[in-house]
Amino acid sequence: MKLGFVGLGRMGFNIVLNLKDHKIPVVAYNRSPEPVKEIKKHGVDVAYSIEELIGKLPKRKIIWIMVTAGKPVDAVIEEMLPYLKKDDIVIDGGNSFYKDSIRMYNYLKKKKINFIDIGTSGGLSGARHGACLTIGGDNNIFKKIEPICKAVSVKDGYAYVGEAGAGHFVKMVHNGIEYAWLQSIGEGFELLFKGPYKNLDFRKISKVWKNGSIIQSKIVGWAEDAFKKDPKLSRIEGIVGGGETGEWTVKTAKEFNVDVDSIKLALEERKKSKKKPRFAGKVVAALRNEFGGHEVIRKD
């Protein structure tokens, strides 16, 4: 099962290496050539154009897209369309809004091309060594790509969750939960930072919490990693990036009359951090950098 892969950003690059480890043949393409040249050094077959990519694939084409949500996804698919045929499969493994995925599914269905949406989680380490996938689209098409999903996932880390858009809907909610969870951890460490005990070792506390506590988690483990590098996070600003998937979660919750006050608060705190940074923001920014390689603003 040879797979075309478009998009060699942080996540895409690692997923391609993961696929290679599992002996799944991949042809990789990226709009800018530098990542293509870099992944080629790892023994991955590459292409320098969409036409070349598709020309290297078998008769029935399966192409995984991992690019920025929105217009870039549409642009890549439009560029591929002249080379696609009936029954080909397009996978969007990025962070697309679920309604965009439903729209793209219906658009491609009219052209007799299949579309699968995959919510991909687990950060960079998950992409490289075992991701978590939620998959939406036609179940019979999912069955055809299931070996790929199983290969790149951690054990028991993938599931078909429903019709078109469901994979990205579940991932959107996952990201909303992540917002609230990160904010809670950030606020907890800010209280430790400002509390009466001035010599608390945050790395040591994180290490204890990640081993057997009620809040034991990968996130607390990443906190330990961050505090190991910078014990009081003094080298970064408390400004938190991102926000798009949180906005989607809050707006969708309002549409379905669901209160998501903790997620909404976390989203508002991210926005406020740009004008009024605080220690909780340092923690959230550092955690996002640890698991996703997201940029932090460093102090001069």
Side-chain angles (χ1 to χ4, degrees):
M1 186 181 292
K2 197 172 188 180
L3 176 71
F5 201 99
V6 178
L8 297 174
R10 294 185 301 262
M11 289 291 285
F13 196 98
N14 281 289
I15 288 175
V16 169
L17 294 180
N18 188 345
L19 287 162
K20 182 178 181 294
D21 288 348
H22 288 89
K23 314 298 183 188
I24 294 178
V26 181
V27 182
Y29 164 74
N30 193 76
R31 184 176 59 179
S32 56
E34 291 78 13
V36 179
K37 295 173 183 175
E38 186 61 32
I39 202 112
K40 187 177 181 180
K41 296 176 184 177
H42 294 268
V44 175
D45 191 9
V46 301
Y48 291 93
S49 69
I50 290 290
E51 183 177 9
E52 182 185 1
L53 172 83
I54 295 180
K56 288 187 171 185
L57 297 177
K59 185 175 180 181
R60 186 175 194 182
K61 287 147 184 69
I62 304 174
I63 303 170
W64 184 315
I65 300 170
M66 203 83 181
V67 299
T68 305
K71 291 181 180 179
V73 174
D74 291 355
V76 167
I77 291 175
E78 287 297 333
E79 189 176 355
M80 291 193 306
L81 269 179
Y83 310 104
L84 298 178
K85 301 286 193 301
K86 178 183 176 182
D87 295 330
D88 287 346
I89 301 172
V90 175
I91 301 166
D92 179 6
N95 262 341
S96 292
F97 185 44
Y98 82 100
K99 288 185 179 180
D100 288 337
S101 297
I102 295 170
R103 172 180 55 80
M104 186 55 69
Y105 169 89
N106 289 327
Y107 175 64
L108 292 179
K109 198 75 172 175
K110 292 177 182 177
K111 301 177 183 297
K112 303 188 185 305
I113 296 168
N114 301 293
F115 180 83
I116 292 286
D117 56 284
I118 296 183
T120 308
S121 184
L124 299 183
S125 61
R128 182 65 184 86
H129 301 292
C132 173
L133 308 179
T134 52
I135 302 142
D138 294 341
N139 190 33
N140 63 317
I141 303 302
F142 158 67
K143 292 293 185 183
K144 294 182 186 301
I145 67 158
E146 185 172 8
I148 296 170
C149 299
K150 185 175 182 180
V152 300
S153 299
V154 69
K155 186 178 184 297
D156 297 326
Y158 75 94
Y160 172 76
V161 294
E163 59 194 32
H168 282 152
F169 180 79
V170 173
K171 178 57 163 54
M172 178 193 71
V173 175
H174 163 281
N175 282 21
I177 294 168
E178 175 193 305
Y179 276 53
W181 199 341
L182 291 176
Q183 184 64 26
S184 177
I185 290 172
E187 290 174 0
F189 275 106
E190 182 169 337
L191 182 54
L192 294 177
F193 180 72
K194 292 183 175 179
Y197 302 98
K198 301 306 178 187
N199 296 311
L200 293 176
D201 185 330
F202 295 162
R203 179 194 173 191
K204 186 183 293 183
I205 292 166
S206 301
K207 184 177 181 180
V208 171
W209 281 354
K210 80 170 187 179
N211 289 295
S213 81
I214 296 300
I215 60 169
Q216 171 183 335
S217 62
K218 278 188 173 183
I219 291 178
V220 175
W222 282 314
E224 182 193 6
D225 294 339
F227 289 124
K228 180 180 179 180
K229 297 171 185 173
D230 187 355
K232 299 294 182 184
L233 303 182
S234 58
R235 297 196 294 270
I236 66 172
E237 299 284 1
I239 298 172
V240 185
E244 189 173 46
T245 54
E247 290 274 12
W248 295 343
T249 308
V250 170
K251 289 179 180 177
T252 302
K254 185 177 181 181
E255 181 182 344
F256 290 97
N257 197 30
V258 176
D259 291 330
V260 288
D261 293 341
S262 58
I263 297 172
K264 186 177 181 180
L265 172 65
L267 177 62
E268 290 170 352
E269 286 298 321
R270 287 198 183 191
K271 294 176 181 177
K272 284 165 57 178
S273 75
K274 294 172 176 61
K275 294 183 178 179
K276 191 177 180 181
R278 50 184 284 205
F279 190 82
K282 287 176 178 271
V283 177
V284 176
L287 287 170
R288 294 182 76 245
N289 180 256
E290 287 297 323
F291 64 70
H294 300 290
E295 186 178 1
V296 295
I297 298 176
R298 301 196 180 275
K299 291 189 173 181
D300 296 331

